[in-house]
């Protein structure tokens, strides 16, 4: 056992307990008072609604719990982006559920709310998952309308997606469970079927105040757009529910009857637990991100029976590639090796760095997985590609480009777990968010940025010092140290996994012991969506 095992374990468990505390806080959304107000109105909270809707005791994963964290402070914050998204099971069918959190500014949409809703729709589209919207929203968050209204990744895109998803044959069911104002009124009605809760649900393009102001008509909101109006007069909604539970029960009955569609056909056999104790991960993963460790020891604790068939084991060793099973599903794993390796040529290769030979190997492996219809799992602990003259002259750019090409053009589903570093182009080559992983999630130990705080601060401090000198300012050692400290502090905050999760660069921060569930549920979701494109690398960078 590593001498640092206990120290590492303490550290990683502390990170985990911080994660749990932060999650408990975020679960309160807009706060206890707002929750009480909802209950007094006879409404459930967004989380209560989802919990009631999803099958009890079945597995479930939450997308974007930390979205919006520390953002919009001047507007009072936007916990979880004001919308809760979970993938779970309704009557045994895997679905994605999107529920506006009315405790956060009456469920109004901040810019990050749109991003999160679009991510939920993207997951539904990629995996052909039924999507359920539990709507309770005041529409656009008006003070920030210029950041949410007209652009391609803004509010309107949701309705465009509603229409496209419908034509793709993806089931969309909406329940109007509170206000549904203005632009927000289209979302439920562009779904296949819409329910509305009597008395608490309302849906209209303009509320009574605006109607009075615009055309002088005096009318109350219930008569204008309540459940009776829309189920009996306008025909806008399809089912009237007597309360939240009744609406959710009706959704369960609708989902229960959905038929089966073609599957992608990924290989799965009976699941086995890892033979080695998964909890050892806490002791294996070092406290400091620059410390070495053997990534194989982590992999063996994530895969069924701890069995892993290495591909080109002795070649390009700074990346581990090979086949395994997770919860019975066949997977191809591409992972950064984090220990220093000595090649047979006698060269030392740093852990976490991608060299030409490892990029070459990974490209070939990714192609093999595509050829054999095996989902890919990327395990990131990467500081970037090797730099320096030897590497440049050896053509690292074209080898890295080749790997990026293979990752980008893969047609099998990809999953990314960030266990440690995720820096620079290493993030790209190892299937960062820009490369369409079906799910991407981080352990609390993760760090994400274009480069580490110290390196960035060194580079930027040099640039700033030379610019100040150019302006005739004297930059002494103390000034240089001040510049360095200022830049490093900013970068250090930005490398946090919470900073990334707040912006949806990742879907979640999870306990390492949940990794198998995330990958398994992700592949199950992907299996709903047959591969339609042929694998084609185009012009390959040889
Ligand atoms: C997409 C397109 C094309 C257009 C649009 O969406 S335009 C948006 C139009 N929306 C509205 O006009 C809705 C305005 N809001 C309301 O009518 C009510 O808030 C309500 C009926 C939706 C809910 O009423 P409730 O009594 O439950 O909650 P409030 O106390 O009124 O609100 C709580 C909290 O949220 C703030 N709020 C509500 N809506 C918005 C909004 N759209 N933009 C910004 N802020 C909003 C409200 O001021 C209050 O804030 P405080 O807690 O800070 O007081």
């Amino acid at each position: 056992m590593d001498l640092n095992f206990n120290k590492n374990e303490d550290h990683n468990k502390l990170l985990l307990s911080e994660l749990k505390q932060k999650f408990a806080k975020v679960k309160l959304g807009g706060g206890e008072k707002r929750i009480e107000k909802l209950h007094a109105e006879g409404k459930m909270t967004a989380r209560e609604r989802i919990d009631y809707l999803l099958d009890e005791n079945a597995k479930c994963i939450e997308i974007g719990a930390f979205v919006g964290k520390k953002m919009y402070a001047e507007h009072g914050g936007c916990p979880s982006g004001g919308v809760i998204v979970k993938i779970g099971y309704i009557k045994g069918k895997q679905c994605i559920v999107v529920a506006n959190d009315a405790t956060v500014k009456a469920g109004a949409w901040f810019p990050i709310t749109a991003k999160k809703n679009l991510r939920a729709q993207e997951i539904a589209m990629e995996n052909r998952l039924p999507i359920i919207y539990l709507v309770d929203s005041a529409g656009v968050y008006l003070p920030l309308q210029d950041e949410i209204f007209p652009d391609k990744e803004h509010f309107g895109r949701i309705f465009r997606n509603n229409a496209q998803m419908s034509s793709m044959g993806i089931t969309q069911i909406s329940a109007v469970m509170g206000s549904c104002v203005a632009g927000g009124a289209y979302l439920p009605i562009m779904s296949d079927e819409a329910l509305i809760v009597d008395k608490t649900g309302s849906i209209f393009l303009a509320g009574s105040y605006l109607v009075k102001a615009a055309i002088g008509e005096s009318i109350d909101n219930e008569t204008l757009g309540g459940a009776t109006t829309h189920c009996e007069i306008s025909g806008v909604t399809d089912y009237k529910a007597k309360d939240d539970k009744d609406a959710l029960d009706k959704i369960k009955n609708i989902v229960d009857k959905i038929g089966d569609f073609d599957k992608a056909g990924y290989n799965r056999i009976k699941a086995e637990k890892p033979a080695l104790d998964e909890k050892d991960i806490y002791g294996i993963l070092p406290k400091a991100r620059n410390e070495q460790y053997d990534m194989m020891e982590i992999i063996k604790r994530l895969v069924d029976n701890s069995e892993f068939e290495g591909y080109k084991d002795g070649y390009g060793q700074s990346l581990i590639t090979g086949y395994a099973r997770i919860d019975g599903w066949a997977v191809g794993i591409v992972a950064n090796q984090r220990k220093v390796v000595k090649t047979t040529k006698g060269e030392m290769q740093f852990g976490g760095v991608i060299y030409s030979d490892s990029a070459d190997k990974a490209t070939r492996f990714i192609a093999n997985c595509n050829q054999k219809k095996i989902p890919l799992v990327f395990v990131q602990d990467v500081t970037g590609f090797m730099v320096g003259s030897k590497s440049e002259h050896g053509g690292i750019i074209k080898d890295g480009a080749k790997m990026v090409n293979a990752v980008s053009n893969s047609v099998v589903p990809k999953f990314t777990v960030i266990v440690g570093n995720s820096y620079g182009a290493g993030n790209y080559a190892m299937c960062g968010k820009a490369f369409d992983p079906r799910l991407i999630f981080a352990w609390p130990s993760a760090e994400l940025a274009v480069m580490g705080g110290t390196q960035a601060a060194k580079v930027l401090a040099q640039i700033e010092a030379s610019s100040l000198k150019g302006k005739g300012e004297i930059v002494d050692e103390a000034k240089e140290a001040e510049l360095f400290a200022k830049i490093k502090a900013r970068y250090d905050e930005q490398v946090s996994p919470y900073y990334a999760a707040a912006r949806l660069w990742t879907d979640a921060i999870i306990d390492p012991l949940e990794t198998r569930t995330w990958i398994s549920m992700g592949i199950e979701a992907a299996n709903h969506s047959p591969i339609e494109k042929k694998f084609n690398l185009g012009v390959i960078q040889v």
Side-chain angles (χ1 to χ4, degrees), residues 67 210 262 285 341 343 357 377 422 436 484 497 536 539:
V67 163
L210 184 53
D262 291 348
L285 196 69
V341 289
T343 69
D357 55 357
V377 175
S422 178
D436 298 322
F484 178 83
N536 174 10
V539 177

Side-chain angles (χ1 to χ4, degrees), residues 95-136:
C95 297
I96 182 160
V97 187
V98 180
N100 301 114
D101 185 349
T103 67
V104 181
K105 297 286 178 192
W109 288 49
F110 285 68
I112 201 71
T113 319
K115 190 170 181 183
K116 188 164 168 183
N117 272 274
L118 289 170
R119 174 70 180 137
Q121 289 188 324
E122 180 178 61
I123 291 173
M125 283 192 268
E126 283 178 342
N127 301 292
R128 307 186 76 88
L129 277 188
I131 183 165
I132 320 293
Y133 308 98
L134 307 179
V135 191
D136 193 343

Side-chain angles (χ1 to χ4, degrees), residues 330-487:
V331 291
I333 296 180
V334 181
N336 300 105
Q337 177 53 285
R338 284 296 281 122
K339 65 175 188 189
V340 176
V341 289
K342 192 172 175 193
T343 69
T344 34
K345 289 192 230 157
E347 290 162 356
M348 301 303 274
Q349 292 194 342
F350 298 112
V353 178
I354 304 177
Y355 289 77
S356 276
D357 55 357
S358 37
D360 215 39
K361 167 171 97 169
T363 306
R364 179 80 178 257
F365 179 72
I366 291 165
N368 271 320
C369 288
N370 276 278
Q371 188 87 338
K372 295 189 286 187
K373 216 157 103 173
I374 299 177
L376 283 159
V377 175
F378 293 83
V379 186
Q380 285 196 5
D381 191 349
V382 58
T383 46
F385 283 91
M386 189 55 195
V387 297
S389 60
K390 188 162 176 232
S391 185
E392 299 286 4
H393 297 174
I396 185 74
I397 298 177
K398 71 176 164 54
D399 291 322
K402 205 158 48 186
M403 183 174 169
V404 169
N405 182 343
V407 172
S408 309
N409 281 313
S410 275
V411 293
V412 290
K414 298 166 285 191
F415 300 89
T416 303
V417 47
I418 305 169
V419 309
N421 300 307
S422 178
Y423 283 116
N427 167 288
Y428 300 166
M430 291 294 291
C431 199
K433 181 74 185 287
F435 294 83
D436 298 322
R438 295 289 173 102
L439 294 171
I440 176 168
F441 44 95
W443 290 358
S445 43
E447 291 185 1
L448 277 87
V450 69
M451 59 176 94
T454 307
Q455 293 92 318
K458 276 184 190 160
V459 174
L460 280 170
Q462 278 177 40
I463 294 170
E464 273 196 51
S466 112
S467 150
L468 289 171
K469 279 177 196 161
K471 288 179 197 152
E473 283 191 38
I474 296 166
V475 182
D476 55 15
E477 263 183 40
K479 179 78 186 166
E480 265 181 29
E482 184 196 317
L483 281 173
F484 178 83
K486 210 171 81 191
I487 298 164

Side-chain angles (χ1 to χ4, degrees), residues 122-321:
E122 180 178 61
I123 291 173
M125 283 192 268
E126 283 178 342
N127 301 292
R128 307 186 76 88
L129 277 188
I131 183 165
I132 320 293
Y133 308 98
L134 307 179
V135 191
D136 193 343
S137 168
V140 160
Y141 183 70
L142 293 167
L144 294 176
Q145 71 84 26
D146 60 328
E147 294 177 44
I148 170 75
F149 170 52
D151 216 335
K152 199 168 170 176
E153 61 284 352
H154 287 176
F155 205 126
R157 191 75 175 178
I158 307 289
F159 314 138
R160 174 263 190 198
N161 285 350
N162 286 141
Q164 292 218 334
M165 287 161 83
S166 187
S167 80
M168 286 168 74
I170 296 167
T171 300
Q172 298 178 84
I173 301 163
S174 282
V176 179
M177 307 183 82
S179 310
C180 205
V181 191
Y186 286 103
L187 187 146
I189 308 314
M190 292 198 71
S191 304
D192 303 339
E193 290 178 87
L195 303 87
I196 184 165
V197 180
D198 199 19
K199 303 293 180 287
T200 46
S202 59
I203 176 164
F204 32 67
L205 293 183
S208 50
Y209 295 134
L210 184 53
V211 169
K212 176 80 184 159
I215 59 168
E217 184 186 355
S218 295
I219 187 164
D220 64 279
N221 278 343
E222 182 62 23
T223 318
L224 186 66
T228 304
T229 298
H230 285 312
C231 289
E232 295 171 23
I233 301 174
S234 72
V236 164
T237 48
D238 310 312
Y239 307 89
K240 182 157 117 177
K242 61 178 190 301
D243 56 21
D244 279 13
K245 281 195 174 163
D246 188 32
L248 299 166
D249 286 335
K250 283 183 162 52
I251 295 174
K252 291 185 203 195
N253 286 336
I254 295 171
V255 173
D256 191 33
K257 297 179 185 66
I258 300 175
D260 263 349
F261 290 85
D262 291 348
K263 297 275 183 278
Y266 301 119
N267 185 306
R268 190 182 200 187
I269 60 168
K270 189 174 165 289
E272 303 279 354
K273 280 192 175 316
L276 297 173
D277 192 351
E278 288 176 75
K279 292 196 199 77
D280 290 347
I281 289 173
Y282 301 132
I284 295 167
L285 196 69
K287 181 174 170 181
R289 294 281 58 83
N290 57 357
E291 266 182 59
Q292 306 289 313
Y293 63 96
D294 187 354
M295 180 63 91
M296 250 340 285
E297 294 304 318
I298 301 279
I299 294 173
K300 281 194 224 152
R301 283 159 179 86
L302 292 177
V303 300
D304 289 15
N305 260 330
S306 300
E307 283 170 5
F308 180 81
E309 191 65 55
Y311 171 81
K312 287 188 195 284
D313 265 346
Y315 181 77
Q317 291 180 60
S318 79
L319 277 174
I320 297 171
T321 49

